[in-house]
Amino acid sequence: MRKINTATVVGAGYMGGGIAQVLALNGFQVTIADASAEATHAALKRLETEAREFEEQGLFPEGSADTIVGNLTAADTIEAAVADVDFIEEAVFEDPDVKKDVLARISAAARPDAIIGTNTSTIPVKVLVEAVTNPERFLTVHFSNPAPFIPGVELVAGEATTQEVIDAVKDLLVRAGREGAQVADTPGMALNRLQFALLKEATLIVEEGVATAEDVDTIVRTTFGFRLGFFGPFAIADQAGLDVYAKAFRTLENAFGPRMATPKLLTDTVDAGRHGTKNGKGWTGDFDDETKARLIAYRNKAYSRMADLLRELGPAPRGS
């Protein structure tokens, strides 16, 4: 398998800087570059300071700051930063024109075989790829904020992206202690379609006077959001019962119309006799009695530990 050992992050702000820290902490030789030499070197100092603070706070293991400092350097220009590295991650403003300008500069200065990723959260690969030479090496590698602490990374391949490139980036993520999930090349991909759909419904609930914003946040973080740290929506539905979900959707559809109609995938699954873990057949696989018992034990332990952690941390600070 093709191996990535050296990397450059272009755009050394909060997001790009966090990505650089992740890679440097996990043994990659990383260079950062920003709009100017002054901005880049200032970012390097900030990242070194942050790394030491994270270590002092117990957020990074002992010795992490020295590892990051040893693996992280700054370049005076984008061209110098990308000239001879295996992988370049673009992490500039979420604006197609700005990203295209930067990607064109990267493409002109990088090795022809260097893999180029973009950290866009919503823009399709097909929109940005026109700025990249050798498009087979280009894809979305979408880290989430704050990058040092969020393990998931969304991957989006373009029509030209080769499997070799995809596999090399997936290998990089594993070595960086991250989990990659590959999705199709559509606006918003999967992460933000899900996130924005929840926010849209939350705002409607507040506008309709069903609950206050504070109460919506409380409901989300103490109920289904509490579970989401351990299970995705398909796994949660399997545990609750897919036939139960189908009946609940009928109530919602009667009240709110097509916006809350029962998903065809759910109806088809229930009609096929797959009701979740209750009958051993669900969206996330087949479950024998032993597997169900282990799942329940894991779930109960996970939720108990989460409750302990929240009690330890106390409530999050709120604005006045």
Side-chain angles (χ1 to χ4, degrees), residues 243-263 266:
D243 54 332
V244 174
Y245 267 49
K247 292 174 182 176
F249 260 111
R250 283 197 285 275
T251 299
L252 295 173
E253 185 173 358
N254 289 337
F256 301 108
R259 177 167 64 85
M260 297 294 281
T262 308
L266 175 60

Side-chain angles (χ1 to χ4, degrees), residues 17-165:
I19 296 169
Q21 284 180 330
V22 168
L23 297 178
L25 178 57
N26 287 281
F28 295 89
Q29 295 294 314
V30 184
T31 304
I32 58 171
D34 211 286
S36 67
E38 292 76 17
T40 305
H41 286 278
L44 181 64
K45 290 181 180 178
R46 174 178 58 82
L47 294 173
E48 292 175 356
T49 299
E50 281 183 356
R52 298 202 183 280
E53 290 174 349
F54 291 156
E55 185 176 333
E56 289 170 1
Q57 294 163 6
L59 305 179
F60 280 173
E62 186 177 347
S64 294
D66 286 342
T67 299
I68 290 172
V69 169
N71 288 334
L72 188 60
T73 58
D76 288 343
T77 66
I78 290 174
E79 287 74 13
V82 306
D84 190 26
V85 294
D86 302 327
F87 172 70
I88 301 117
E89 174 81 337
E90 168 271 305
V92 300
F93 297 119
E94 188 72 357
D95 179 291
D97 292 333
V98 173
K99 286 186 177 291
K100 286 179 184 179
D101 286 344
V102 172
L103 288 168
R105 289 179 64 183
I106 291 170
S107 295
R111 296 191 328 240
D113 66 329
I115 297 171
I116 301 174
T118 173
N119 195 56
T120 180
S121 57
T122 57
I123 306 168
V125 170
K126 58 180 169 279
V127 172
L128 299 176
V129 70
E130 63 189 47
V132 179
T133 58
N134 302 333
E136 67 276 2
R137 54 160 167 184
F138 180 61
L139 74 170
T140 294
V141 186
H142 176 212
F143 288 77
S144 288
N145 184 29
F149 308 114
I150 304 294
V153 179
E154 200 171 29
L155 298 177
V156 184
E159 291 183 3
T161 313
T162 65
Q163 190 62 47
E164 179 190 36
V165 164

Side-chain angles (χ1 to χ4, degrees), residues 52 143 179 188 218 231 266 277 285:
R52 298 202 183 280
F143 288 77
E179 291 188 51
T218 297
F231 303 104
L266 175 60
T277 56

Side-chain angles (χ1 to χ4, degrees), residues 274-293:
R274 303 188 71 87
H275 294 177
T277 56
K278 65 197 302 180
N279 76 341
K281 297 178 180 180
W283 265 330
T284 55
D286 294 341
F287 299 84
D288 58 23
D289 289 342
E290 181 185 351
T291 304
K292 283 192 284 187

